[in-house]
Amino acid sequence: MADNSHNPDDILSAFIDSNSDAAVSSFFDIETCVTPPGADAVCIDTHCTSVAPLASRTGFADNERLSERYCYLLDPLPGWPVIERPEVIYETLIAEFPNFGEAIDYICSFACISRHGKVPFTFPPLLLDGPPGIGKTRFAMRVAHLCNAGFDMLNCSGMSGTMALLGSEQGYSEARAGFYANTFKKTELINNIILLDEVEKMGIDSRGGDPYAALLPLLERETASVHMDNCLQESINLGYLSYIMTSNNTHAIPEPMMTRVRMLAIAAPDSSQLDRIVPGVIKDVTKRYNLGNLEFVPDMDEIRQVYRQNHNLRELQAVIEYQIRASLWQPRSERIPYTGSVEKSAMGFGR
């Protein structure tokens, strides 16, 4: 159990270098703050809330396969409060996502609550509506990283039933719990941000059920904390999950769900915001390929030309990646300008 005499800033200075992903990962691996198996299901100290998703295995104790697969849900998982100052979170996010100002204020207000109350970071459901390719998915991932929360993603496009949300019935030979069971296993945290991508594209199946109706109880903490999983036949605590949903339009989303979310319209970054976004995209690309020491100067004229064509951040990332490759490998023939993913170029270095 963590020593209550330490304050969050001491924890931060001892375990986290805010600029190091490896240090953040090691912070989440601290075992001394996790209630050991067999202790009370909920134990709260100054810095850490420890909660077991499942309180009992009675509902699937007779099923050897399910007992073996999901026994980890009985172990308490830690939930950490926000340790970084909300002002730093705001400045970090607004620098990378200047078109997300209102969403960033929303997140930072709950970061303040978490930090001051020393409770795990959670917030009511947030729906980000806007055109594709403007950074909604990356924004959700960055929020989780900065606010000491786990992250998982569920692609809603083509989802036409409730199995992913409610689990499948035990009678099926390959019965599985809902998506959240794997989330807890991957993140080893009780408080996770779940990205529901393209939520407007879920469909209703006459046999599989209505995923919108199944999602409604998960969006309110009181009902989510006693969610009944079809496979486990047990109440599982999902009350510490927070949801960021994305949509390209809201016309197909049922009204009952719209009343349970905070909807914010996100526009594509304008040309004046582009220069603020490019450094973050370069950082993402160089991190992906472990090129942190690369001296790279982007061709902003080419970047602006590509961005003006469609205002799509995916294309922006593609042209930056192309420029980095071009800086490392000079074609034996004349350099071929970036032309965009929709245009086909002859075989060679060009896209």
Side-chain angles (χ1 to χ4, degrees):
M1 188 66 64
D3 184 350
N4 292 354
S5 64
H6 297 304
N7 61 48
D9 292 329
D10 292 334
I11 296 288
L12 176 62
S13 61
F15 296 108
I16 292 185
D17 173 0
S18 60
N19 295 317
S20 170
D21 292 338
V24 172
S25 177
S26 66
F27 175 74
F28 284 146
D29 291 337
I30 297 173
E31 295 182 353
T32 55
C33 292
V34 182
T35 305
D40 293 338
V42 179
C43 177
I44 301 177
D45 66 14
T46 305
H47 310 301
C48 174
T49 300
S50 198
V51 180
L54 279 180
S56 165
R57 70 169 77 196
T58 304
F60 57 98
D62 295 335
N63 189 312
E64 182 178 352
R65 182 179 63 85
L66 294 181
S67 294
E68 181 178 350
R69 173 176 290 177
Y70 296 114
C71 61
Y72 63 89
L73 293 172
L74 295 162
D75 297 332
L77 297 175
W80 297 97
V82 172
I83 292 180
E84 188 60 272
R85 291 188 300 113
E87 294 83 2
V88 175
I89 295 173
Y90 178 87
E91 293 300 331
T92 301
L93 290 174
I94 203 66
E96 299 180 28
F97 306 94
N99 53 323
F100 281 73
E102 193 173 357
I104 296 171
D105 278 328
Y106 182 80
I107 292 297
C108 286
S109 66
F110 289 99
C112 287
I113 290 175
S114 170
R115 193 168 193 266
H116 285 279
K118 298 181 177 65
V119 294
F121 174 68
T122 61
F123 55 89
L126 178 62
L127 172 61
L128 304 177
D129 180 61
I134 61 171
K136 299 189 293 290
T137 298
R138 182 172 174 269
F139 174 77
M141 296 175 70
R142 289 294 283 143
V143 168
H145 177 82
L146 291 168
C147 295
N148 286 6
F151 177 82
D152 205 358
M153 175 177 173
L154 186 63
N155 189 349
C156 297
S157 179
M159 183 189 297
S160 58
T162 63
M163 191 176 298
L165 300 171
L166 303 180
S168 53
E169 300 288 347
Q170 281 191 19
Y172 292 101
S173 59
E174 289 299 319
R176 293 182 180 273
F179 73 91
Y180 33 78
N182 282 334
T183 298
F184 291 133
K185 186 174 184 179
K186 287 188 293 185
T187 68
E188 298 183 348
L189 292 169
I190 194 66
N191 61 316
N192 298 280
I193 293 177
I194 307 298
L195 176 67
L196 301 178
D197 197 32
E198 297 186 320
V199 71
E200 82 279 14
K201 295 183 180 179
M202 292 195 297
I204 299 175
D205 188 288
S206 58
R207 293 175 297 177
D210 181 355
Y212 290 109
L215 184 59
L216 293 182
L218 304 186
L219 302 182
E220 298 186 88
R221 184 165 184 175
E222 292 77 10
T223 50
S225 62
V226 290
H227 172 69
M228 178 62 69
D229 183 89
N230 288 336
C231 174
L232 304 177
Q233 287 297 297
E234 281 290 342
S235 176
I236 185 167
N237 188 345
L238 307 181
Y240 290 91
L241 299 185
S242 302
Y243 297 90
I244 295 181
M245 309 175 197
T246 71
S247 65
N248 301 143
N249 65 73
T250 61
H251 300 304
I253 301 177
E255 183 65 23
M257 195 172 112
M258 291 297 295
T259 63
R260 288 168 170 80
V261 303
R262 173 69 183 274
M263 196 278 284
L264 298 176
I266 309 296
D270 58 38
S271 299
S272 66
Q273 296 170 327
L274 183 62
D275 289 356
R276 299 168 62 184
I277 293 174
V278 167
V281 178
I282 293 175
K283 182 179 178 181
D284 283 349
V285 174
T286 55
K287 177 182 175 182
R288 179 186 307 164
Y289 297 109
N290 195 28
L291 299 173
N293 296 324
L294 178 68
E295 294 184 5
F296 169 69
V297 179
D299 182 346
M300 290 303 300
D301 290 336
E302 183 178 45
I303 288 173
R304 293 188 186 98
Q305 180 182 356
V306 169
Y307 188 72
R308 279 197 298 266
Q309 294 175 3
N310 54 24
H311 289 79
N312 188 299
L313 293 187
R314 294 191 184 102
E315 285 293 300
L316 175 64
Q317 180 171 306
V319 69
I320 289 174
E321 183 174 321
Y322 169 78
Q323 289 184 3
I324 290 174
R325 288 186 284 119
S327 72
L328 295 171
W329 171 258
Q330 294 296 332
R332 300 303 187 261
S333 57
E334 184 180 355
R335 182 178 187 273
I336 303 172
Y338 177 83
T339 56
S341 59
V342 294
E343 297 183 31
K344 294 184 179 180
S345 57
M347 182 177 295
F349 189 72
R351 292 178 57 85

